[in-house]
Every structure is written in C-alpha cells, then in structure tokens.
Amino acid sequence: MDQEIRQVMWELLSKRGPQKSICPSEVAKKCFPKNWRVHMDAVRKIAYDWAQEGKVMITQQGLPVDPATVKGPIRIKIKN
C-alpha cells in the first residue's frame, strides 16, 4: 500500500512540476477510488516523511508550513 501511494504521489508531483502542488486527496483518490478518505492519513504521513527528507514541501495557502505542527488542509509540492 505505501509503495503504491509513494509511486502515485511522485507521478502526480512530477507531472505538475516544481511550480505547482497537489492535494493529498488526489493521491488517495487515484490509489483507492472507492474508499479514499480512509487512506488520507497514510498519504499525509508519506508526504510528511518526504518533507522531513527534503524531497517535498508542505504548504497551506501557498506558503511553506512545518509538517510537525500543521493542522488543516495542505498541499504537497516538489522542493526546489
């Protein structure tokens, strides 16, 4: 499951490029179309892990936020 999430997330991020972001729900919907909401925590966890590794940036309203303290809706963006 995690491997599929990682693969789809990176595919979507790569298609958008570094100037645009994706919503975690896009990943969940593509991986798990029938019950995507159940998997949102797993998608966000992988995004947070990648942010800690420096692969991506987590944003809210276009501004970078700390994955350790963020609450509410987020976007994921390839880190330049």
Side-chain angles (χ1 to χ4, degrees), residues 4-66:
E4 181 182 4
I5 293 170
R6 285 183 182 90
Q7 182 178 345
V8 168
M9 187 179 301
W10 196 253
E11 177 183 301
L12 292 171
L13 286 165
S14 297
K15 285 182 182 177
R16 297 274 168 90
Q19 300 304 323
K20 296 189 178 182
S21 62
I22 63 169
C23 179
S25 66
E26 292 176 70
V27 178
K29 287 175 183 176
K30 189 161 183 169
C31 292
F32 313 100
K34 293 183 181 183
N35 61 347
W36 63 271
R37 284 184 173 88
V38 176
H39 300 280
M40 285 296 292
D41 286 342
V43 172
R44 288 173 69 111
K45 167 81 169 83
I46 290 169
Y48 295 160
D49 289 347
W50 281 4
Q52 294 295 329
E53 295 170 16
K55 290 182 179 180
V56 300
M57 182 185 317
I58 305 298
T59 65
Q60 280 185 325
Q61 298 179 346
L63 300 173
V65 292
D66 182 356

